[in-house]
mmCIF file of all heavy atoms in Angstrom:
data_model
loop_
_atom_site.group_PDB
_atom_site.id
_atom_site.type_symbol
_atom_site.label_atom_id
_atom_site.label_comp_id
_atom_site.label_asym_id
_atom_site.label_seq_id
_atom_site.Cartn_x
_atom_site.Cartn_y
_atom_site.Cartn_z
ATOM 1 N N THR O 1256 -33.784 65.948 -62.356
ATOM 2 C CA THR O 1256 -34.308 64.592 -62.290
ATOM 3 C C THR O 1256 -33.286 63.640 -62.883
ATOM 4 O O THR O 1256 -32.246 64.065 -63.406
ATOM 5 C CB THR O 1256 -35.649 64.470 -63.041
ATOM 6 O OG1 THR O 1256 -36.204 63.160 -62.827
ATOM 7 C CG2 THR O 1256 -35.475 64.693 -64.535
ATOM 8 N N TYR O 1257 -33.573 62.360 -62.806
ATOM 9 C CA TYR O 1257 -32.734 61.344 -63.446
ATOM 10 C C TYR O 1257 -33.081 61.263 -64.929
ATOM 11 O O TYR O 1257 -34.189 61.613 -65.349
ATOM 12 C CB TYR O 1257 -32.969 59.994 -62.755
ATOM 13 C CG TYR O 1257 -32.088 58.884 -63.269
ATOM 14 C CD1 TYR O 1257 -30.701 58.970 -63.170
ATOM 15 C CD2 TYR O 1257 -32.639 57.752 -63.861
ATOM 16 C CE1 TYR O 1257 -29.891 57.957 -63.649
ATOM 17 C CE2 TYR O 1257 -31.838 56.722 -64.332
ATOM 18 C CZ TYR O 1257 -30.469 56.832 -64.233
ATOM 19 O OH TYR O 1257 -29.672 55.825 -64.711
ATOM 20 N N THR O 1258 -32.157 60.768 -65.717
ATOM 21 C CA THR O 1258 -32.339 60.744 -67.171
ATOM 22 C C THR O 1258 -33.599 60.000 -67.614
ATOM 23 O O THR O 1258 -34.199 60.352 -68.633
ATOM 24 C CB THR O 1258 -31.107 60.139 -67.873
ATOM 25 O OG1 THR O 1258 -31.284 60.204 -69.292
ATOM 26 C CG2 THR O 1258 -30.869 58.687 -67.455
ATOM 27 N N ALA O 1259 -34.016 58.975 -66.885
ATOM 28 C CA ALA O 1259 -35.169 58.172 -67.313
ATOM 29 C C ALA O 1259 -36.431 59.007 -67.469
ATOM 30 O O ALA O 1259 -37.289 58.686 -68.301
ATOM 31 C CB ALA O 1259 -35.416 57.029 -66.322
ATOM 32 N N THR O 1260 -36.570 60.066 -66.684
ATOM 33 C CA THR O 1260 -37.747 60.934 -66.805
ATOM 34 C C THR O 1260 -37.801 61.579 -68.171
ATOM 35 O O THR O 1260 -38.882 61.738 -68.764
ATOM 36 C CB THR O 1260 -37.715 62.046 -65.731
ATOM 37 O OG1 THR O 1260 -37.313 61.504 -64.484
ATOM 38 C CG2 THR O 1260 -39.074 62.717 -65.597
ATOM 39 N N ALA O 1261 -36.637 61.944 -68.692
ATOM 40 C CA ALA O 1261 -36.547 62.695 -69.945
ATOM 41 C C ALA O 1261 -36.296 61.814 -71.159
ATOM 42 O O ALA O 1261 -36.802 62.090 -72.254
ATOM 43 C CB ALA O 1261 -35.431 63.739 -69.833
ATOM 44 N N SER O 1262 -35.506 60.760 -70.990
ATOM 45 C CA SER O 1262 -35.107 59.956 -72.151
ATOM 46 C C SER O 1262 -36.303 59.312 -72.841
ATOM 47 O O SER O 1262 -36.288 59.123 -74.065
ATOM 48 C CB SER O 1262 -34.109 58.879 -71.736
ATOM 49 O OG SER O 1262 -34.678 57.957 -70.823
ATOM 50 N N VAL O 1263 -37.355 59.000 -72.074
ATOM 51 C CA VAL O 1263 -38.527 58.361 -72.694
ATOM 52 C C VAL O 1263 -39.198 59.288 -73.702
ATOM 53 O O VAL O 1263 -39.798 58.826 -74.680
ATOM 54 C CB VAL O 1263 -39.540 57.898 -71.626
ATOM 55 C CG1 VAL O 1263 -38.933 56.809 -70.752
ATOM 56 C CG2 VAL O 1263 -40.037 59.052 -70.763
ATOM 57 N N VAL O 1264 -39.093 60.600 -73.465
ATOM 58 C CA VAL O 1264 -39.645 61.566 -74.420
ATOM 59 C C VAL O 1264 -38.879 61.471 -75.740
ATOM 60 O O VAL O 1264 -39.469 61.477 -76.823
ATOM 61 C CB VAL O 1264 -39.570 63.001 -73.849
ATOM 62 C CG1 VAL O 1264 -40.117 64.004 -74.856
ATOM 63 C CG2 VAL O 1264 -40.311 63.089 -72.520
ATOM 64 N N CYS O 1265 -37.557 61.346 -75.618
ATOM 65 C CA CYS O 1265 -36.729 61.184 -76.813
ATOM 66 C C CYS O 1265 -37.021 59.858 -77.512
ATOM 67 O O CYS O 1265 -37.035 59.783 -78.739
ATOM 68 C CB CYS O 1265 -35.252 61.276 -76.443
ATOM 69 S SG CYS O 1265 -34.792 62.814 -75.607
ATOM 70 N N HIS O 1266 -37.256 58.808 -76.730
ATOM 71 C CA HIS O 1266 -37.532 57.495 -77.314
ATOM 72 C C HIS O 1266 -38.726 57.528 -78.254
ATOM 73 O O HIS O 1266 -38.735 56.846 -79.287
ATOM 74 C CB HIS O 1266 -37.822 56.467 -76.215
ATOM 75 C CG HIS O 1266 -36.653 56.164 -75.337
ATOM 76 N ND1 HIS O 1266 -36.739 55.333 -74.236
ATOM 77 C CD2 HIS O 1266 -35.364 56.583 -75.372
ATOM 78 C CE1 HIS O 1266 -35.565 55.264 -73.647
ATOM 79 N NE2 HIS O 1266 -34.719 56.015 -74.315
ATOM 80 N N VAL O 1267 -39.770 58.278 -77.904
ATOM 81 C CA VAL O 1267 -40.985 58.301 -78.734
ATOM 82 C C VAL O 1267 -40.914 59.356 -79.836
ATOM 83 O O VAL O 1267 -41.847 59.486 -80.628
ATOM 84 C CB VAL O 1267 -42.258 58.506 -77.872
ATOM 85 C CG1 VAL O 1267 -42.383 57.400 -76.836
ATOM 86 C CG2 VAL O 1267 -42.286 59.885 -77.218
ATOM 87 N N GLY O 1268 -39.820 60.119 -79.874
ATOM 88 C CA GLY O 1268 -39.638 61.095 -80.945
ATOM 89 C C GLY O 1268 -40.263 62.448 -80.703
ATOM 90 O O GLY O 1268 -40.293 63.295 -81.606
ATOM 91 N N ALA O 1269 -40.755 62.688 -79.477
ATOM 92 C CA ALA O 1269 -41.349 63.992 -79.162
ATOM 93 C C ALA O 1269 -40.254 64.982 -78.774
ATOM 94 O O ALA O 1269 -39.102 64.606 -78.528
ATOM 95 C CB ALA O 1269 -42.362 63.843 -78.027
ATOM 96 N N LYS O 1270 -40.611 66.248 -78.686
ATOM 97 C CA LYS O 1270 -39.658 67.286 -78.288
ATOM 98 C C LYS O 1270 -39.625 67.381 -76.771
ATOM 99 O O LYS O 1270 -40.652 67.562 -76.122
ATOM 100 C CB LYS O 1270 -40.050 68.636 -78.887
ATOM 101 C CG LYS O 1270 -39.102 69.770 -78.502
ATOM 102 C CD LYS O 1270 -39.551 71.108 -79.079
ATOM 103 C CE LYS O 1270 -38.630 72.231 -78.609
ATOM 104 N NZ LYS O 1270 -39.064 73.556 -79.136
ATOM 105 N N LEU O 1271 -38.429 67.277 -76.210
ATOM 106 C CA LEU O 1271 -38.228 67.400 -74.771
ATOM 107 C C LEU O 1271 -38.084 68.868 -74.396
ATOM 108 O O LEU O 1271 -37.252 69.583 -74.960
ATOM 109 C CB LEU O 1271 -36.973 66.631 -74.357
ATOM 110 C CG LEU O 1271 -36.505 66.770 -72.912
ATOM 111 C CD1 LEU O 1271 -37.526 66.157 -71.958
ATOM 112 C CD2 LEU O 1271 -35.139 66.108 -72.733
ATOM 113 N N VAL O 1272 -38.899 69.312 -73.435
ATOM 114 C CA VAL O 1272 -38.828 70.686 -72.926
ATOM 115 C C VAL O 1272 -38.495 70.608 -71.438
ATOM 116 O O VAL O 1272 -39.287 70.084 -70.649
ATOM 117 C CB VAL O 1272 -40.157 71.441 -73.143
ATOM 118 C CG1 VAL O 1272 -40.047 72.866 -72.597
ATOM 119 C CG2 VAL O 1272 -40.535 71.458 -74.625
ATOM 120 N N LEU O 1273 -37.318 71.100 -71.066
ATOM 121 C CA LEU O 1273 -36.904 71.076 -69.658
ATOM 122 C C LEU O 1273 -37.352 72.347 -68.947
ATOM 123 O O LEU O 1273 -37.266 73.444 -69.499
ATOM 124 C CB LEU O 1273 -35.391 70.922 -69.538
ATOM 125 C CG LEU O 1273 -34.792 69.602 -70.027
ATOM 126 C CD1 LEU O 1273 -33.282 69.583 -69.788
ATOM 127 C CD2 LEU O 1273 -35.445 68.405 -69.344
ATOM 128 N N VAL O 1274 -37.807 72.169 -67.707
ATOM 129 C CA VAL O 1274 -38.318 73.269 -66.894
ATOM 130 C C VAL O 1274 -37.483 73.367 -65.625
ATOM 131 O O VAL O 1274 -37.191 72.354 -64.983
ATOM 132 C CB VAL O 1274 -39.805 73.029 -66.542
ATOM 133 C CG1 VAL O 1274 -40.342 74.164 -65.673
ATOM 134 C CG2 VAL O 1274 -40.648 72.874 -67.801
ATOM 135 N N ASP O 1275 -37.089 74.583 -65.250
ATOM 136 C CA ASP O 1275 -36.315 74.797 -64.031
ATOM 137 C C ASP O 1275 -37.165 74.458 -62.806
ATOM 138 O O ASP O 1275 -38.393 74.372 -62.883
ATOM 139 C CB ASP O 1275 -35.853 76.259 -63.970
ATOM 140 C CG ASP O 1275 -34.633 76.471 -63.074
ATOM 141 O OD1 ASP O 1275 -34.124 75.487 -62.502
ATOM 142 O OD2 ASP O 1275 -34.193 77.635 -62.961
ATOM 143 N N VAL O 1276 -36.495 74.263 -61.663
ATOM 144 C CA VAL O 1276 -37.216 74.063 -60.409
ATOM 145 C C VAL O 1276 -37.480 75.414 -59.751
ATOM 146 O O VAL O 1276 -36.945 76.446 -60.163
ATOM 147 C CB VAL O 1276 -36.439 73.141 -59.440
ATOM 148 C CG1 VAL O 1276 -36.328 71.740 -60.020
ATOM 149 C CG2 VAL O 1276 -35.067 73.716 -59.101
ATOM 150 N N GLN O 1277 -38.304 75.405 -58.728
ATOM 151 C CA GLN O 1277 -38.589 76.617 -57.973
ATOM 152 C C GLN O 1277 -37.358 77.027 -57.172
ATOM 153 O O GLN O 1277 -36.482 76.209 -56.893
ATOM 154 C CB GLN O 1277 -39.758 76.372 -57.016
ATOM 155 C CG GLN O 1277 -41.044 75.933 -57.683
ATOM 156 C CD GLN O 1277 -42.045 75.371 -56.702
ATOM 157 O OE1 GLN O 1277 -42.147 75.829 -55.564
ATOM 158 N NE2 GLN O 1277 -42.807 74.365 -57.125
ATOM 159 N N GLU O 1278 -37.291 78.277 -56.791
ATOM 160 C CA GLU O 1278 -36.192 78.730 -55.948
ATOM 161 C C GLU O 1278 -36.237 78.009 -54.600
ATOM 162 O O GLU O 1278 -37.295 77.897 -53.977
ATOM 163 C CB GLU O 1278 -36.273 80.244 -55.738
ATOM 164 C CG GLU O 1278 -35.054 80.817 -55.036
ATOM 165 C CD GLU O 1278 -35.037 82.329 -55.030
ATOM 166 O OE1 GLU O 1278 -35.926 82.952 -55.644
ATOM 167 O OE2 GLU O 1278 -34.111 82.892 -54.409
ATOM 168 N N ASP O 1279 -35.091 77.472 -54.185
ATOM 169 C CA ASP O 1279 -34.949 76.769 -52.911
ATOM 170 C C ASP O 1279 -35.883 75.555 -52.811
ATOM 171 O O ASP O 1279 -36.403 75.238 -51.742
ATOM 172 C CB ASP O 1279 -35.194 77.724 -51.737
ATOM 173 C CG ASP O 1279 -34.544 77.236 -50.450
ATOM 174 O OD1 ASP O 1279 -33.477 76.603 -50.523
ATOM 175 O OD2 ASP O 1279 -35.125 77.461 -49.372
ATOM 176 N N SER O 1280 -36.071 74.876 -53.934
ATOM 177 C CA SER O 1280 -36.953 73.700 -53.954
ATOM 178 C C SER O 1280 -36.504 72.750 -55.062
ATOM 179 O O SER O 1280 -35.986 73.188 -56.092
ATOM 180 C CB SER O 1280 -38.408 74.123 -54.199
ATOM 181 O OG SER O 1280 -39.228 72.999 -54.432
ATOM 182 N N PHE O 1281 -36.717 71.454 -54.837
ATOM 183 C CA PHE O 1281 -36.445 70.469 -55.874
ATOM 184 C C PHE O 1281 -37.645 70.286 -56.809
ATOM 185 O O PHE O 1281 -37.578 69.505 -57.749
ATOM 186 C CB PHE O 1281 -36.105 69.118 -55.237
ATOM 187 C CG PHE O 1281 -34.779 69.091 -54.533
ATOM 188 C CD1 PHE O 1281 -34.712 69.016 -53.148
ATOM 189 C CD2 PHE O 1281 -33.598 69.141 -55.249
ATOM 190 C CE1 PHE O 1281 -33.494 68.986 -52.485
ATOM 191 C CE2 PHE O 1281 -32.363 69.115 -54.599
ATOM 192 C CZ PHE O 1281 -32.312 69.040 -53.217
ATOM 193 N N GLU O 1282 -38.722 70.981 -56.536
ATOM 194 C CA GLU O 1282 -39.965 70.800 -57.295
ATOM 195 C C GLU O 1282 -40.017 71.713 -58.507
ATOM 196 O O GLU O 1282 -39.532 72.849 -58.476
ATOM 197 C CB GLU O 1282 -41.152 71.073 -56.374
ATOM 198 C CG GLU O 1282 -42.468 70.527 -56.884
ATOM 199 C CD GLU O 1282 -43.532 70.523 -55.803
ATOM 200 O OE1 GLU O 1282 -43.255 70.938 -54.662
ATOM 201 O OE2 GLU O 1282 -44.653 70.097 -56.103
ATOM 202 N N MET O 1283 -40.589 71.218 -59.564
ATOM 203 C CA MET O 1283 -40.711 71.981 -60.799
ATOM 204 C C MET O 1283 -41.319 73.363 -60.554
ATOM 205 O O MET O 1283 -42.222 73.522 -59.737
ATOM 206 C CB MET O 1283 -41.601 71.202 -61.790
ATOM 207 C CG MET O 1283 -41.647 71.774 -63.197
ATOM 208 S SD MET O 1283 -42.914 71.008 -64.255
ATOM 209 C CE MET O 1283 -42.400 69.312 -64.299
ATOM 210 N N ASP O 1284 -40.823 74.365 -61.274
ATOM 211 C CA ASP O 1284 -41.384 75.717 -61.222
ATOM 212 C C ASP O 1284 -42.675 75.704 -62.041
ATOM 213 O O ASP O 1284 -42.644 75.693 -63.272
ATOM 214 C CB ASP O 1284 -40.381 76.721 -61.789
ATOM 215 C CG ASP O 1284 -40.864 78.159 -61.698
ATOM 216 O OD1 ASP O 1284 -42.096 78.386 -61.725
ATOM 217 O OD2 ASP O 1284 -40.018 79.065 -61.622
ATOM 218 N N TYR O 1285 -43.805 75.705 -61.349
ATOM 219 C CA TYR O 1285 -45.080 75.540 -62.046
ATOM 220 C C TYR O 1285 -45.464 76.769 -62.862
ATOM 221 O O TYR O 1285 -46.157 76.646 -63.886
ATOM 222 C CB TYR O 1285 -46.180 75.170 -61.048
ATOM 223 C CG TYR O 1285 -45.911 73.835 -60.381
ATOM 224 C CD1 TYR O 1285 -45.748 73.740 -58.997
ATOM 225 C CD2 TYR O 1285 -45.781 72.669 -61.137
ATOM 226 C CE1 TYR O 1285 -45.484 72.526 -58.390
ATOM 227 C CE2 TYR O 1285 -45.520 71.449 -60.539
ATOM 228 C CZ TYR O 1285 -45.364 71.388 -59.162
ATOM 229 O OH TYR O 1285 -45.097 70.179 -58.572
ATOM 230 N N ASP O 1286 -45.031 77.937 -62.452
ATOM 231 C CA ASP O 1286 -45.269 79.132 -63.272
ATOM 232 C C ASP O 1286 -44.522 79.011 -64.599
ATOM 233 O O ASP O 1286 -45.073 79.315 -65.668
ATOM 234 C CB ASP O 1286 -44.820 80.397 -62.535
ATOM 235 C CG ASP O 1286 -45.701 80.729 -61.348
ATOM 236 O OD1 ASP O 1286 -46.900 80.358 -61.373
ATOM 237 O OD2 ASP O 1286 -45.200 81.351 -60.389
ATOM 238 N N GLN O 1287 -43.271 78.559 -64.528
ATOM 239 C CA GLN O 1287 -42.506 78.369 -65.759
ATOM 240 C C GLN O 1287 -43.107 77.245 -66.602
ATOM 241 O O GLN O 1287 -43.151 77.336 -67.828
ATOM 242 C CB GLN O 1287 -41.042 78.066 -65.435
ATOM 243 C CG GLN O 1287 -40.160 78.041 -66.678
ATOM 244 C CD GLN O 1287 -38.715 77.754 -66.370
ATOM 245 O OE1 GLN O 1287 -38.126 76.827 -66.910
ATOM 246 N NE2 GLN O 1287 -38.121 78.554 -65.488
ATOM 247 N N MET O 1288 -43.563 76.197 -65.938
ATOM 248 C CA MET O 1288 -44.234 75.112 -66.655
ATOM 249 C C MET O 1288 -45.409 75.642 -67.462
ATOM 250 O O MET O 1288 -45.568 75.339 -68.654
ATOM 251 C CB MET O 1288 -44.724 74.051 -65.662
ATOM 252 C CG MET O 1288 -45.379 72.836 -66.300
ATOM 253 S SD MET O 1288 -46.292 71.818 -65.103
ATOM 254 C CE MET O 1288 -47.914 72.624 -65.170
ATOM 255 N N GLU O 1289 -46.226 76.470 -66.812
ATOM 256 C CA GLU O 1289 -47.396 77.029 -67.492
ATOM 257 C C GLU O 1289 -46.982 77.883 -68.686
ATOM 258 O O GLU O 1289 -47.605 77.820 -69.753
ATOM 259 C CB GLU O 1289 -48.229 77.851 -66.513
ATOM 260 C CG GLU O 1289 -49.509 78.410 -67.131
ATOM 261 C CD GLU O 1289 -50.467 78.992 -66.109
ATOM 262 O OE1 GLU O 1289 -50.067 79.148 -64.928
ATOM 263 O OE2 GLU O 1289 -51.620 79.287 -66.481
ATOM 264 N N SER O 1290 -45.926 78.659 -68.531
ATOM 265 C CA SER O 1290 -45.491 79.539 -69.616
ATOM 266 C C SER O 1290 -44.937 78.766 -70.810
ATOM 267 O O SER O 1290 -44.908 79.280 -71.928
ATOM 268 C CB SER O 1290 -44.437 80.530 -69.110
ATOM 269 O OG SER O 1290 -43.204 79.873 -68.848
ATOM 270 N N GLN O 1291 -44.503 77.521 -70.586
ATOM 271 C CA GLN O 1291 -43.927 76.704 -71.663
ATOM 272 C C GLN O 1291 -44.988 75.921 -72.443
ATOM 273 O O GLN O 1291 -44.681 75.323 -73.476
ATOM 274 C CB GLN O 1291 -42.918 75.707 -71.074
ATOM 275 C CG GLN O 1291 -41.698 76.349 -70.433
ATOM 276 C CD GLN O 1291 -40.617 76.675 -71.444
ATOM 277 O OE1 GLN O 1291 -40.878 76.732 -72.643
ATOM 278 N NE2 GLN O 1291 -39.407 76.908 -70.976
ATOM 279 N N ILE O 1292 -46.206 75.914 -71.950
ATOM 280 C CA ILE O 1292 -47.265 75.149 -72.616
ATOM 281 C C ILE O 1292 -47.705 75.853 -73.894
ATOM 282 O O ILE O 1292 -47.923 77.064 -73.921
ATOM 283 C CB ILE O 1292 -48.462 74.955 -71.664
ATOM 284 C CG1 ILE O 1292 -48.075 74.022 -70.510
ATOM 285 C CG2 ILE O 1292 -49.683 74.402 -72.413
ATOM 286 C CD1 ILE O 1292 -49.123 73.917 -69.416
ATOM 287 N N ASN O 1293 -47.832 75.072 -74.966
ATOM 288 C CA ASN O 1293 -48.359 75.601 -76.230
ATOM 289 C C ASN O 1293 -49.252 74.548 -76.888
ATOM 290 O O ASN O 1293 -49.548 73.511 -76.274
ATOM 291 C CB ASN O 1293 -47.211 76.025 -77.156
ATOM 292 C CG ASN O 1293 -46.278 74.877 -77.502
ATOM 293 O OD1 ASN O 1293 -46.720 73.773 -77.812
ATOM 294 N ND2 ASN O 1293 -44.971 75.123 -77.441
ATOM 295 N N GLU O 1294 -49.662 74.795 -78.115
ATOM 296 C CA GLU O 1294 -50.599 73.891 -78.788
ATOM 297 C C GLU O 1294 -50.009 72.508 -79.070
ATOM 298 O O GLU O 1294 -50.754 71.559 -79.347
ATOM 299 C CB GLU O 1294 -51.081 74.528 -80.091
ATOM 300 C CG GLU O 1294 -51.961 75.754 -79.875
ATOM 301 C CD GLU O 1294 -52.540 76.303 -81.161
ATOM 302 O OE1 GLU O 1294 -52.095 75.856 -82.248
ATOM 303 O OE2 GLU O 1294 -53.449 77.148 -81.097
ATOM 304 N N ASN O 1295 -48.694 72.396 -79.016
ATOM 305 C CA ASN O 1295 -48.053 71.103 -79.272
ATOM 306 C C ASN O 1295 -47.825 70.284 -77.997
ATOM 307 O O ASN O 1295 -47.435 69.122 -78.084
ATOM 308 C CB ASN O 1295 -46.706 71.320 -79.958
ATOM 309 C CG ASN O 1295 -46.854 71.976 -81.317
ATOM 310 O OD1 ASN O 1295 -47.755 71.643 -82.085
ATOM 311 N ND2 ASN O 1295 -45.978 72.922 -81.619
ATOM 312 N N THR O 1296 -48.049 70.889 -76.836
ATOM 313 C CA THR O 1296 -47.797 70.192 -75.568
ATOM 314 C C THR O 1296 -48.835 69.100 -75.356
ATOM 315 O O THR O 1296 -50.038 69.354 -75.360
ATOM 316 C CB THR O 1296 -47.837 71.175 -74.382
ATOM 317 O OG1 THR O 1296 -46.961 72.277 -74.644
ATOM 318 C CG2 THR O 1296 -47.413 70.474 -73.107
#
């Protein structure tokens, strides 16, 4: 994605967690997204 998607997370002081895209797709890997979720998300 472009930096603006991520930089706003840094602006508010939260932790930025980047997620890979799916194979052969520009779309976020939703399985990986789910695995990255925790009580702080």
Side-chain angles (χ1 to χ4, degrees):
T1256 186
Y1257 184 61
T1258 183
T1260 317
S1262 63
V1263 295
V1264 179
C1265 303
H1266 294 176
V1267 302
K1270 180 182 177 181
L1271 173 66
V1272 180
L1273 294 182
V1274 179
D1275 202 1
V1276 295
Q1277 302 165 35
E1278 188 171 355
D1279 203 33
S1280 171
F1281 290 110
E1282 198 166 0
M1283 189 190 299
D1284 183 331
Y1285 297 119
D1286 291 332
Q1287 188 180 125
M1288 183 194 89
E1289 183 169 10
S1290 71
Q1291 296 276 18
I1292 292 172
N1293 60 44
E1294 292 185 349
N1295 297 319
T1296 308

